Every structure is written in C-alpha cells, then in structure tokens.
Amino acid sequence: MILNKELLTNIPLFDGITEAELARLDRILSPCIREYRPGEFLSHPEDIFEEIVIILHGKVHMISEDFWGNQNIIAEFADLSLFGEAHSLSRMPMFFSLAVVKSSTLLSFRAQKLRAPEFQNEIALRKLCDNLMNIIIEKKLYYMKKADILSRRSLREKISAFLSEEYRKKGTPSFRIPYDRQQMADYLSTDRSALSKELSKMKREGILDYNHNWFHLKSF
C-alpha cells in the first residue's frame, strides 16, 4: 500500500483522513511513486496533463517560454507541495512546461479517478476532494496577490508591494522572506542586478534596511 500515515504526514491533501480511509483511497486512486532526475520534463506546452502530483522530496519549476526562447519561472514547487490539479481536472492543454530542477520523488494519481461515478459516496474521497478544494482556493488567492504585485508599473513599486504583503503576513516591519536574491528576482520577473540596484537605492534613501533575506521596513 502506497498511501499511509507515515508517508503522508504534513501533506495538506490528506489532512483528517484516517489510516483505514487511506487504505480505501489507495485502492480507488491506484497511486504510484516515481524518481526523476534534474533536467527531466514532466510536460510541455499543449500537453494534456492527466495527474495530480505531490512532491515527497525535490523541486519542480513551472516555466513559460516566449518565441525567442526566453524563460520565466511562473511557480516553484518543493517538498510536500502539490501541482497539476487544475489542468488534470479540466483536461485543458498546458500553456507552460513542468521541469524537474532537483532530484525528486513524486507521488501521483490520475485526476479523473476522483470523478468515477462508482466512488462518489465514499467518505474518504469526499474528504480528499474537500482538502483539494481548499488547496485550489489558497493557490488562487496566492496567484491573485502575485498578479497584483506584478501589475505595478515600476520595479520599485513591485518591490514595495511585495514587501508590504510580507509585512501584512508577518505583522511586523522586520521579517525574513522565503527567497534568496535570485529567487526574489524571479518572483518579481526582473533581473537580479536590477533588483539589487533598486534595493540599494531604497536602503540609501532610508526606506528600508536588509541583509540577505532579512528586511526591515522604515516609516517616513
């Protein structure tokens, strides 16, 4: 049996599901675990992605690419995170690639099994679908916040919006962000050197202070 409490501890998709219910889900979903190496692609644009995937260990990037081959990281998925739910349930063609960037162990199951008519009265499946809906809502809110940040016209406005959101989440003007400088640049869709230059200017102007991923916002 693949689905068990020891393996799935701290994975939100399986919150509140008992060992007996996991055993039932294991039979319904027929999950599998696979190992992937850095550089492997899980999907490409226009593919129909069939699976909901959980990263037990590793890292996967969602990547968009323009006509000239310029790439942009849309999202990063790391340990215990989930991806593929929207495209696998809707069966809409992908508009991005999914690339493994670190040796990864992935647990997956075919999304359409959640809709099998013969299992719709299963309590375990209902719990799983409720958890999945909560995850989808959380991701929707995350992407809405990111879209708001990236909609700002200047790099300084993007930085200010990003740090203001971190301040609202932490409740204090001094906090650590979950990104290094390159990851922060990728999140804001900008060049690392441009980001570092703008942060230095904001520091000189007394707007903020920082050291690596620690920031302190200053009032005027």
Side-chain angles (χ1 to χ4, degrees), residues 11 13 32 34 36 42 49-56 60 77-78 80-85 88 98 104-111 132 139:
I11 296 179
L13 184 62
C32 64
R34 298 189 185 98
Y36 293 88
L42 305 177
F49 199 68
E50 303 279 2
E51 297 178 320
I52 292 175
V53 184
I54 299 161
I55 300 181
L56 300 178
V60 173
F77 305 106
L80 308 184
S81 59
L82 174 148
F83 64 87
E85 66 284 356
S88 59
L98 290 168
S104 299
T105 304
L106 307 183
L107 183 156
S108 64
F109 59 87
R110 294 177 73 84
L132 181 60
K139 283 190 176 183

Side-chain angles (χ1 to χ4, degrees), residues 55-188:
I55 300 181
L56 300 178
H57 174 74
K59 188 177 293 184
V60 173
H61 281 174
M62 179 190 293
I63 301 169
S64 66
E65 186 172 315
D66 64 20
F67 178 83
W68 295 273
N70 300 308
Q71 294 187 343
N72 178 51
I73 299 173
I74 303 173
E76 178 177 278
F77 305 106
D79 294 1
L80 308 184
S81 59
L82 174 148
F83 64 87
E85 66 284 356
H87 280 81
S88 59
L89 287 169
S90 67
R91 303 201 82 252
M92 295 290 290
M94 304 280 276
F95 56 87
F96 49 77
S97 300
L98 290 168
V100 177
V101 294
K102 179 181 176 182
S103 294
S104 299
T105 304
L106 307 183
L107 183 156
S108 64
F109 59 87
R110 294 177 73 84
Q112 294 305 312
K113 292 197 173 186
L114 297 177
R115 294 177 167 174
E118 64 269 29
F119 299 126
Q120 292 311 298
N121 292 324
E122 293 278 351
I123 293 175
L125 195 61
R126 289 181 185 176
K127 288 183 179 180
L128 186 80
C129 288
D130 285 345
N131 290 341
L132 181 60
M133 181 59 67
N134 289 333
I135 291 169
I136 290 172
I137 290 170
E138 288 176 7
K139 283 190 176 183
K140 173 70 173 178
L141 295 174
Y142 168 82
Y143 288 124
M144 286 175 65
K145 289 175 182 176
K146 184 173 181 179
D148 174 58
I149 291 169
L150 295 183
S151 69
R152 309 305 172 98
R153 288 176 292 182
S154 70
L155 177 55
R156 176 168 293 205
E157 288 174 334
K158 289 181 173 70
I159 294 170
S160 298
F162 170 74
L163 294 176
S164 294
E165 178 60 26
E166 292 297 309
Y167 160 70
R168 280 191 288 271
K169 288 193 291 188
K170 304 297 194 307
T172 172
S174 296
F175 50 81
R176 293 187 182 278
I177 66 171
Y179 307 123
D180 61 25
R181 197 64 75 241
Q182 183 59 57
Q183 291 168 334
M184 184 178 177
D186 291 339
Y187 181 90
L188 296 176

Side-chain angles (χ1 to χ4, degrees), residues 26-38:
D26 198 85
R27 291 191 290 273
I28 293 171
L29 301 176
S30 302
C32 64
I33 294 178
R34 298 189 185 98
E35 303 287 336
Y36 293 88
R37 294 175 296 179

Side-chain angles (χ1 to χ4, degrees), residues 9-50:
T9 301
N10 300 322
I11 296 179
L13 184 62
F14 298 97
D15 281 353
I17 297 177
T18 67
E19 192 78 51
E21 289 167 342
L22 285 175
R24 184 61 181 149
L25 286 173
D26 198 85
R27 291 191 290 273
I28 293 171
L29 301 176
S30 302
C32 64
I33 294 178
R34 298 189 185 98
E35 303 287 336
Y36 293 88
R37 294 175 296 179
E40 290 192 69
F41 280 81
L42 305 177
S43 72
H44 296 89
E46 304 305 323
D47 286 352
I48 301 296
F49 199 68
E50 303 279 2

